[in-house]
Amino acid sequence: MMMTKKIILLLVCVIFSFIYAQSYTESQIDADIQKAKSLSANNPNKSIELCKNIYRIAKEKGYKKGMLECNNILMAKFYDAGDFKKVIEISKDAEKLAKEINDNVILSNTYRLRGSSYTELGFNDECLKELKKALEISGEITSKNDKNYQKAMVYNVFASYYAHINAPIDSVMYYQKKCLESAILLDENKDFINKKYFTITLSYINLGKTSVALHRTKDAEIYFEKALEICQNKKYVVGKDLEVTVLNEFAWLYFDQKKYDKAKSLAEKAEALEKGVGLPYIRRDIYEVYFKSCVELGEKEISKKYMNLYTKLNDSIINIEKKAINTPVKHIIDEKEKIYTSDIQKIVIIASCIIMMLSLGGWLFWKQNQNNIHKKYKTVIETLKNETKIKEIEPVLSEVDDKSPENVINISEDTTTSLLNKLSKFEKSEKFLKKDMNLTSLSNSLNTNPRYLSEIIKQHRGKSFNNYINGLRIHYITNKLYETPVFREYKISYLAEACGFSSREVFAVIFKKETGVTPSYFISQLKKDDINIEA
């Protein structure tokens, strides 16, 4: 019965909440967002609660602009409160919404705050990636004031990043000054006057810190005074958090100068002001400078009190950081695993496509090559079919390309005809199969001189002497293989020897040069042709 009542009550609350959300107009949501913005400077906790409620209503209505504006405020306030885990969680939703409604201002700010949070958690590589994206997107913002404001804020985080990685101090100061330059360019209208002086104040604080690091005490004091003056000026609303920060930095500056009374006084003011803001990281610093100043002043009871406050708060912050860091670490690992998996998949797909293309290309090339080889084989076979014996070559005089006196030997027509007849008989005699056949031995057997014989072969056979003899030998063995099937069963080394070659390697090279195919291919195709004929 009790359970039933609870379920009914829950359903009534859900229905009421839905009806309430639907009755809310977008203009009412926008008005509440402006209220949350005005509260964010001096009452961040109330601003956070209001934004959470507005976000829920905007989401139920599907009002993406309202959801995004709430996320933007929440990220900033959680960052100020040191809840960097929450910033990173919210930033994912904010990034998605900003891209959907094409809001480059908040998109740039989302990358900036996420990068800042990564820096605070020690993930410097991830921070740099986010800052580069933030700066790139800020360049796409059309409004001059929005562009300069976002650039100023991004430059500020760049300075923080370089400080975290212990880069040269000049690099840190360079970005701090870039931040100040961009802030000064902002107009002093109602929409940007507070943003302008907030950013200028932030720049002065950071330049003061850098000056302390460079031991430029006077410069640091000037920067802190300028920052404090803006914070306490009623014309601007820059936020109590910055005033707390300036007072804390001033306290440490005086402590380092051994002006312990001033350090303690400023720490007291910072502590009182921080209570209404809620900045645990700065509060820890305030407690530390407070108890250290009291130690130097000999105020044991007060120093003991603030040392205990410092220790307790420091332990609490460390425990929170340990818990908070788990989500960002898991998020980063998950992101990297997704990227790695995606990259592997892309590589596999690309590699597979390349292999398929290469395989297809290779197969096509092989196929084309086989077709060409087979055509050459067919040409040789057609020639052999038309020859039952080597025909007598008529002694026809052919043109010589170069008839210059130094390249042509004048041989009488009778001598030419006589030598051609002798060559025809030589070709039919198969004396070319002798391994020791050379130009000198052949010219002696034909009763002529080597020069005449070489020139006749060149002019009327179109070859050098060696190519002429090799051609006769290959023609002989192809004819034997074609006409006498038993030759096809012999080893290549035997065929080489049978036609006058000293080695199977030389034979194989010359055979392919003369016919266009290898001996093995020629023999295998002859065997296939026989099988096809029998079939």
Side-chain angles (χ1 to χ4, degrees):
M1 188 68 177
M2 184 66 71
M3 183 63 70
T4 305
K5 286 182 179 180
K6 286 183 178 180
I7 293 170
I8 292 169
L9 183 61
L10 181 62
L11 286 171
V12 169
C13 290
V14 169
I15 293 167
F16 177 78
S17 176
F18 178 78
I19 294 169
Y20 175 73
Q22 292 305 310
S23 66
Y24 237 73
T25 63
E26 290 183 359
S27 59
Q28 285 178 302
I29 292 173
D30 290 338
D32 280 350
I33 288 170
Q34 290 305 316
K35 184 179 178 182
K37 285 180 180 177
S38 64
L39 286 169
S40 66
N42 297 318
N43 198 337
N45 291 332
K46 193 169 182 180
S47 175
I48 288 170
E49 290 306 312
L50 182 57
C51 275
K52 286 180 178 179
N53 188 49
I54 300 168
Y55 177 88
R56 180 181 55 76
I57 294 169
K59 187 174 183 180
E60 288 175 358
K61 287 187 68 66
Y63 184 35
K64 292 181 178 180
K65 182 177 179 295
M67 293 165 64
L68 181 59
E69 292 281 358
C70 289
N71 276 339
N72 197 39
I73 297 170
L74 288 169
M75 284 189 297
K77 292 301 103 184
F78 281 125
Y79 180 82
D80 291 341
D83 195 344
F84 308 119
K85 164 192 170 182
K86 202 70 179 172
V87 176
I88 293 171
E89 286 178 355
I90 295 171
S91 71
K92 286 297 177 182
D93 184 43
E95 179 183 6
K96 182 174 177 289
L97 289 167
K99 286 180 177 178
E100 285 176 359
I101 65 175
N102 198 29
D103 191 328
N104 286 332
V105 175
I106 296 183
L107 182 59
S108 175
N109 198 49
T110 300
Y111 290 139
R112 175 185 70 84
L113 287 168
R114 190 192 295 165
S116 300
S117 299
Y118 279 140
T119 297
E120 295 296 336
L121 293 168
F123 299 112
N124 293 320
D125 291 343
E126 282 69 24
C127 167
L128 188 59
K129 290 175 187 175
E130 298 300 320
L131 294 185
K132 286 179 179 178
K133 288 192 284 187
L135 192 59
E136 182 183 352
I137 295 297
S138 69
E140 298 176 14
I141 297 170
T142 53
S143 164
K144 185 195 80 171
N145 283 323
D146 283 322
K147 179 184 289 188
N148 286 322
Y149 178 66
Q150 286 304 321
K151 281 190 173 182
M153 298 303 288
V154 175
Y155 286 137
N156 176 60
V157 186
F158 263 114
S160 176
Y161 163 77
Y162 283 110
H164 269 76
I165 64 170
N166 295 318
I169 201 74
D170 290 340
S171 299
V172 178
M173 188 165 275
Y174 167 80
Y175 282 105
Q176 288 172 344
K177 288 182 177 178
K178 289 281 286 182
C179 173
L180 183 60
E181 288 168 7
S182 296
I184 290 170
L185 292 173
L186 293 170
D187 294 332
E188 294 193 18
N189 57 37
K190 63 182 181 66
D191 293 323
F192 282 92
I193 188 168
N194 290 331
K195 290 181 178 179
K196 175 175 183 174
Y197 285 98
F198 168 85
T199 314
I200 290 173
T201 304
L202 192 62
S203 298
Y204 284 147
I205 292 171
N206 290 329
L207 286 165
K209 290 179 182 179
T210 308
S211 298
V212 170
L214 292 169
H215 306 291
R216 297 174 186 170
T217 306
K218 190 64 182 174
D219 288 346
E221 198 166 349
I222 291 169
Y223 283 127
F224 289 148
E225 282 175 354
K226 286 182 177 180
L228 192 58
E229 183 182 340
I230 294 172
C231 288
Q232 295 175 344
N233 192 323
K234 302 296 182 183
K235 288 169 60 179
Y236 320 120
V237 180
V238 297
K240 293 298 180 183
D241 51 340
L242 286 188
E243 188 174 352
V244 173
T245 302
V246 177
L247 290 170
N248 178 53
E249 294 298 333
F250 244 139
W252 279 106
L253 179 66
Y254 286 131
F255 178 82
D256 292 338
Q257 294 176 27
K258 299 183 180 180
K259 298 176 181 179
Y260 304 119
D261 283 326
K262 284 189 174 183
K264 178 187 172 186
S265 174
L266 287 167
E268 283 178 337
K269 290 179 182 179
E271 182 194 11
L273 196 60
E274 191 276 331
K275 287 178 181 177
V277 183
L279 302 170
Y281 282 84
I282 296 179
R283 191 189 317 146
R284 179 178 59 180
D285 280 357
I286 294 168
Y287 288 159
E288 185 179 3
V289 71
Y290 204 132
F291 89 73
K292 286 183 176 179
S293 297
C294 290
V295 168
E296 296 296 336
L297 291 168
E299 299 174 0
K300 294 182 179 179
E301 290 300 318
I302 299 176
S303 66
K304 185 178 179 181
K305 172 189 171 183
Y306 280 93
M307 184 174 68
N308 289 335
L309 288 170
Y310 166 78
T311 304
K312 185 177 179 180
L313 180 57
N314 186 56
D315 291 343
S316 176
I317 288 173
I318 290 171
N319 288 331
I320 290 170
E321 284 179 344
K322 284 179 180 178
K323 292 177 182 178
I325 202 168
N326 289 334
T327 297
V329 168
K330 186 178 184 301
H331 162 72
I332 293 165
I333 291 171
D334 289 345
E335 286 292 313
K336 287 188 174 181
E337 284 181 352
K338 285 179 184 177
I339 293 168
Y340 176 76
T341 303
S342 176
D343 288 344
I344 291 296
Q345 288 174 344
K346 287 177 183 176
I347 291 168
V348 170
I349 291 169
I350 292 169
S352 299
C353 290
I354 291 171
I355 290 168
M356 287 175 65
M357 289 173 66
L358 289 173
S359 300
L360 180 61
W363 182 83
L364 291 172
F365 176 79
W366 176 83
K367 191 70 176 174
Q368 182 65 37
N369 190 50
Q370 290 298 107
N371 289 337
N372 291 336
I373 290 172
H374 198 68
K375 285 179 183 178
K376 291 175 182 177
Y377 164 77
K378 285 292 186 185
T379 301
V380 175
I381 296 300
E382 286 301 316
T383 303
L384 293 171
K385 281 180 180 179
N386 296 327
E387 293 181 357
T388 56
K389 60 181 180 178
I390 300 176
K391 293 181 179 179
E392 184 176 351
I393 301 172
E394 296 296 330
V396 179
L397 295 174
S398 60
E399 294 295 321
V400 179
D401 292 337
D402 189 352
K403 293 185 178 293
S404 57
E406 60 269 22
N407 288 305
V408 177
I409 300 171
N410 292 319
I411 305 173
S412 68
E413 189 173 338
D414 290 342
T415 302
T416 299
T417 302
S418 174
L419 281 174
L420 286 173
N421 287 330
K422 289 178 181 180
L423 279 177
S424 293
K425 291 177 182 178
F426 166 74
E427 290 161 2
K428 294 173 184 177
S429 70
E430 299 182 357
K431 290 180 181 179
F432 53 79
L433 298 176
K434 293 179 180 179
K435 291 182 182 178
D436 58 353
M437 177 59 65
N438 57 47
L439 181 61
T440 302
S441 63
L442 181 58
S443 60
N444 289 336
S445 67
L446 299 180
N447 296 316
T448 186
N449 64 65
R451 288 188 66 200
Y452 273 25
L453 181 59
S454 177
E455 187 65 26
I456 291 295
I457 292 171
K458 179 180 177 183
Q459 288 188 31
H460 298 280
R461 295 293 186 264
K463 297 180 179 182
S464 67
F465 176 77
N466 286 335
N467 288 341
Y468 168 66
I469 296 298
N470 288 337
L472 292 174
R473 289 170 174 173
I474 296 302
H475 184 274
Y476 167 82
I477 202 66
T478 52
N479 196 59
K480 284 290 183 184
L481 289 167
Y482 177 69
E483 293 185 343
T484 313
V486 70
F487 268 74
R488 302 169 198 170
E489 305 304 322
Y490 297 156
K491 292 182 179 179
I492 301 298
S493 56
Y494 176 83
L495 296 176
E497 189 174 350
C499 62
F501 287 97
S502 58
S503 71
R504 60 171 290 165
E505 289 76 19
V506 174
F507 167 70
V509 171
I510 301 300
F511 191 99
K512 186 170 184 182
K513 182 181 176 183
E514 291 293 322
T515 64
V517 298
T518 64
S520 300
Y521 181 86
F522 187 77
I523 293 168
S524 65
Q525 286 300 125
L526 286 172
K527 289 180 178 179
K528 284 183 181 178
D529 289 347
D530 285 347
I531 293 170
N532 291 335
I533 291 170
E534 290 173 4

